[in-house]
Amino acid sequence: MCGIVGAVALRNVVPILLEGLKRLEYRGYDSAGLVVVDDGHLTRVRSTGRVADLTERSATTTGYTGIAHTRWATHGIPSERNAHPHVSKGQIAVVHNGIIENYEVLRSTLTAAGYPFSSDTDTEVIAHLIHRHYARGNSLLVATRAALAELVGAYAIGVIASDCPDQIICARRGSPLLLGVGVAENFIASDVSALLQVTRQIVYLEEGDVVELTHQAYQIYDKQGNQVERAVQTSELSNESVELGLYQHYMQKEIHEQPQALANTLESVCNSQSLVPGIFGAEAAATFADIDSILILACGTSYHAGLVARYWLEDLAGIRCNVEVASEYRYRSSVPNPKQLIVVISQSGETADTQAALNHAKALGQPHTLAICNVPESALVRLSKLRLLTRAGPEIGVASTKAFTTQLAALFLLTLVLAKSRDRLSVRQEQQYLQELRHLPAAAQKVLDLEPLIATLATQFADKQHALFLGRGLHYPIAMEGALKLKEISYIHAEAYPAGELKHGPLALVDKDMPVISIAPNDALLEKLKSNLQEVRARGGELYVFADADTHIHEVDGIHIMQMPEHAGYLSPILHTIPLQLLAYYVALQKGTDVDKPRNLAKSVTVE
Ligand code: M6R
């Protein structure tokens, strides 16, 4: 989604802004722009192309203070006139992430007051509002605060003025924003990766904070207007972790990082001899003793992780579990249960629907909350009583890969801890699962060896319009995840079904042009699955089967087998995900799509 970078320094900040935008490209955007204060004027450059295009266009632009933005369209089509920054009367410039809900009313009022609008965005009202207060003789800080008081909605903003050559005002409410502290220079950004080029000293802003920055200092004011201190933290994110290295795409890199990401996520547990609730936080033991059920809330791929976890939690921990898409739950009348543990799952920790669903659950009087998240300082982590951080490292590709498999690993830990706390896990079983978890990174590494085979297989998909994914039990959500990956980056329409549902409708679709991809682990449902596959073959369907050893499914005409190295029992969904990610990746390569930035999608979905 939209990204913000800003800098105030004693040097030309344009290269810093452009590099920051480049590092935010992964979030997804359709236009970009920047504005600097240059000799008492605002110089603005915008583009509907990539940041590389903006870089070319700003070759002669210089300034010591500036703000920049990548826009993902919400109000108004992707176009240069709608790209940020938005400027009021040549004097005030604003970049904004989020959505202003009362912008139509404000737009009418401002139009009547003589402010001409040159875009269709909600953001432009912010620029004009600030200008109106500024023109009355207020400082930029006071004018911004007065404008913010009139806004309904979510925002992270950066503001500069043509006659304030050494000042940025920024603020956040409902959208993330942080400060970067440098030596005689200061920065703002919506994501820490944008600032690693210049500083690792980061201040994470709180809801309602407004900040005044100069090159020498910054003052933070909380939502009541009191000056406050916020801790400066040293970011541990390495530069390499956000760089592509030898890989062709971030998605490929991130698929290959899964063994390490799993090892990192499981590190503390695998190094110990027993599982303790404390890994979820100090209050975990008391919370787990008080709960009678679980409700998992998430979106997209993270929702699929929740669906897998339901099988684990009910089977191993014997605890009732429901999983719901966050955007549905937040608007539905549901029956609250104060003894229910609300688990939110999110890679980014910023997803607006998941955040709203969590707040909704809490407002209904459900105090037990747990976040499984990849970003430690994110809103979801801060809003939850308990947390388990996946340690996947930054995920840049829009298609979620290593975040998903590490979420599964974290959810398996939750299952084991709850099973243990409910006396459903013997010491022997605990040791056996710990051993399987220790082996998981190596097992994932072996699955990656299938890559050349899958790359060849992918050539058979490039001309297909549709694909069907089948799985059963624990692997049905993995079929859903495989279908999501394929449609997201290759634009091939894909659907997933529990294999037993085939004859209740989707079988009608099967013919030689509909590839059917099946996950065939060597588990209790294997024989049932084999019958379902026969139903496909009997209708001339082409089958692509990801099969464990000993499944005795043989490669014959119309059945292509990809042999998985080993069966991983309950952890099998984690391993079976990897070839499906690779398949989607290589089909997308065949089709020449923009793998890391698929059309219309954004990495962090910070708007509804
Ligand atoms: O950051 P989150 O995990 O909350 O994101 C949720 C979805 O937007 C995300 O998983 C999306 O479905 C991915 N692009 C799928 O690859």
Side-chain angles (χ1 to χ4, degrees):
M1 295 250 120
C2 306
I4 290 176
V5 197
V8 49
L10 292 176
R11 54 177 167 149
N12 179 19
V13 296
V14 172
I16 299 171
L17 299 179
L18 290 167
E19 178 60 24
L21 290 186
K22 226 168 99 197
R23 289 162 182 251
L24 292 179
E25 279 191 301
Y26 78 93
R27 293 169 70 98
Y29 69 106
D30 41 51
S31 54
L34 61 83
V35 64
V36 288
V37 184
D38 179 16
D39 204 16
H41 296 96
L42 293 177
T43 305
R44 175 172 66 169
V45 190
R46 296 183 291 176
S47 159
T48 50
R50 289 286 176 211
V51 172
D53 183 51
L54 184 72
T55 307
E56 270 177 37
R57 290 181 181 211
S58 9
T60 57
T61 310
T62 57
Y64 287 8
T65 298
I67 49 180
H69 191 261
T70 45
R71 172 175 186 255
W72 189 82
T74 55
H75 294 71
I77 57 162
S79 65
E80 195 167 321
R81 66 191 287 276
N82 286 334
H84 301 208
H86 289 286
V87 173
S88 180
K89 308 251 175 175
Q91 199 176 14
I92 300 291
V94 172
V95 288
H96 163 227
N97 290 355
I99 289 183
I100 303 306
E101 290 167 23
N102 59 337
Y103 87 102
E104 278 170 337
V105 179
L106 292 171
R107 191 175 168 120
S108 311
T109 317
L110 287 160
T111 307
Y115 282 95
F117 277 77
S118 58
S119 78
D120 310 314
T121 65
D122 51 342
T123 303
E124 198 177 350
V125 300
I126 310 178
H128 292 319
L129 271 181
I130 296 174
H131 185 275
R132 196 159 65 156
H133 291 287
Y134 194 59
R136 290 174 185 156
N138 292 305
S139 69
L140 191 56
L141 174 69
V142 171
T144 304
R145 285 231 297 256
L148 295 180
E150 297 183 51
L151 302 180
V152 176
Y155 55 76
I157 58 164
V159 185
I160 60 171
S162 57
D163 51 352
C164 299
D166 184 36
Q167 192 180 29
I168 296 179
I169 306 295
C170 70
R172 68 155 289 194
R173 189 172 78 196
S175 290
L177 194 68
L178 48 89
L179 308 183
V181 183
V183 178
E185 49 191 23
N186 288 307
F187 311 94
I188 65 171
S190 46
D191 184 328
V192 70
S193 59
L195 298 184
L196 290 180
Q197 43 155 340
V198 279
T199 183
R200 288 181 170 279
Q201 302 305 109
I202 304 296
V203 177
Y204 293 94
L205 297 178
E206 306 261 324
E207 279 292 281
D209 281 355
V210 180
V211 188
E212 181 176 22
L213 299 96
T214 64
H215 77 275
Q216 275 176 320
Y218 61 86
Q219 270 88 45
I220 306 177
Y221 302 90
D222 67 10
K223 55 173 154 271
Q224 280 81 33
N226 303 315
Q227 196 169 333
V228 285
E229 297 289 322
R230 303 262 181 249
V232 180
Q233 302 181 27
T234 305
S235 170
E236 285 171 13
L237 211 65
S238 71
N239 247 325
E240 303 75 65
S241 63
V242 291
E243 274 163 14
L244 199 47
L246 296 172
Y247 293 96
Q248 214 180 330
H249 293 97
Y250 281 107
M251 183 179 179
Q252 187 191 24
K253 176 178 184 241
E254 288 156 8
I255 290 173
H256 279 268
E257 282 173 345
Q258 288 179 109
Q260 190 58 52
L262 287 165
N264 292 345
T265 302
L266 296 168
E267 190 181 21
S268 58
V269 175
C270 292
N271 287 342
S272 73
Q273 289 311 309
S274 69
L275 290 154
V276 287
I279 56 172
F280 295 93
E283 295 173 82
T287 304
F288 292 164
D290 193 43
I291 60 167
D292 66 3
S293 60
I294 293 183
L295 173 62
I296 299 179
L297 301 169
C299 303
T301 286
S302 299
Y303 168 70
H304 295 159
L307 291 177
V308 175
R310 179 171 57 187
Y311 287 89
W312 286 335
L313 286 160
E314 297 218 345
D315 183 0
L316 287 169
I319 186 160
R320 212 168 342 116
C321 177
N322 278 315
V323 190
E324 192 160 346
V325 167
S327 56
E328 286 297 311
Y329 175 76
R330 65 181 285 195
Y331 289 119
R332 162 175 99 73
S333 295
S334 52
V335 181
N337 171 6
K339 287 199 171 291
Q340 179 167 248
L341 176 66
I342 306 293
V343 179
V344 284
I345 310 172
S346 173
Q347 184 284 128
S348 61
E350 285 179 22
T351 304
D353 282 321
T354 312
Q355 202 176 317
L358 174 62
N359 285 332
H360 178 65
K362 285 167 53 170
L364 288 176
Q366 301 172 112
H368 301 318
T369 55
L370 161 67
I372 291 183
C373 188
N374 197 35
V375 180
E377 307 80 11
S378 63
L380 280 181
V381 171
R382 279 187 275 137
L383 288 167
S384 302
K385 186 160 79 166
L386 309 178
R387 81 266 332 254
L388 185 65
L389 295 173
T390 50
R391 292 175 57 207
E395 193 178 66
I396 310 288
V398 164
S400 191
T401 52
K402 60 178 180 171
F404 177 67
T405 44
T406 53
Q407 284 167 352
L408 289 178
L411 288 160
F412 194 68
L413 292 180
L414 176 65
T415 304
L416 295 182
V417 168
L418 286 172
K420 190 173 170 183
S421 70
R422 306 178 141 240
D423 290 330
R424 290 176 63 105
L425 196 68
S426 68
V427 174
R428 191 186 56 76
Q429 285 168 321
E430 181 179 5
Q431 292 313 313
Q432 181 198 323
Y433 288 129
L434 280 173
Q435 192 46 39
E436 287 174 16
L437 286 169
R438 286 184 195 111
H439 175 61
L440 188 63
Q445 189 64 52
K446 271 202 242 160
V447 179
L448 288 168
D449 293 343
L450 290 173
E451 187 170 14
L453 185 67
I454 294 172
T456 311
L457 185 78
T459 55
Q460 299 179 34
F461 284 76
D463 63 339
K464 298 288 188 265
Q465 303 293 320
H466 309 275
L468 206 55
F469 284 72
L470 301 178
R472 291 196 76 131
L474 265 180
H475 296 81
Y476 166 47
I478 301 306
M480 295 170 79
E481 176 58 10
L484 176 62
K485 286 289 93 85
L486 188 70
K487 66 185 139 197
E488 186 176 26
I489 60 165
S490 77
Y491 316 150
I492 291 176
H493 168 231
E495 282 192 71
Y497 273 92
E501 270 292 292
L502 204 55
K503 54 188 161 304
H504 299 291
L507 199 55
L509 294 170
V510 170
D511 63 12
K512 64 177 180 18
D513 294 321
M514 169 75 97
V516 179
I517 297 121
S518 176
I519 305 159
N522 194 1
D523 63 12
L525 291 170
L526 179 64
E527 291 311 317
K528 306 265 176 223
L529 180 80
K530 281 181 178 174
S531 310
N532 304 140
L533 299 187
Q534 286 310 324
E535 292 162 9
V536 173
R537 253 332 271 151
R539 273 94 192 158
E542 195 86 1
L543 275 165
Y544 297 85
V545 186
F546 292 89
D548 284 351
D550 305 327
T551 51
H552 303 292
I553 306 175
H554 302 293
E555 178 111 21
V556 289
D557 196 26
I559 305 187
H560 311 266
I561 307 288
M562 269 65 56
Q563 183 85 55
M564 295 287 285
E566 58 189 290
H567 179 58
Y570 278 104
L571 295 174
S572 168
I574 300 180
L575 298 187
H576 269 277
T577 300
I578 297 171
L580 301 185
Q581 297 168 341
L582 286 167
L583 180 66
Y585 174 71
Y586 280 99
V587 175
L589 273 195
Q590 287 288 324
K591 298 198 70 178
T593 59
D594 192 347
V595 172
D596 286 331
K597 300 182 214 68
R599 68 185 179 202
N600 307 336
L601 298 182
K603 183 67 187 165
S604 298
V605 186
T606 51
V607 293
E608 264 197 85

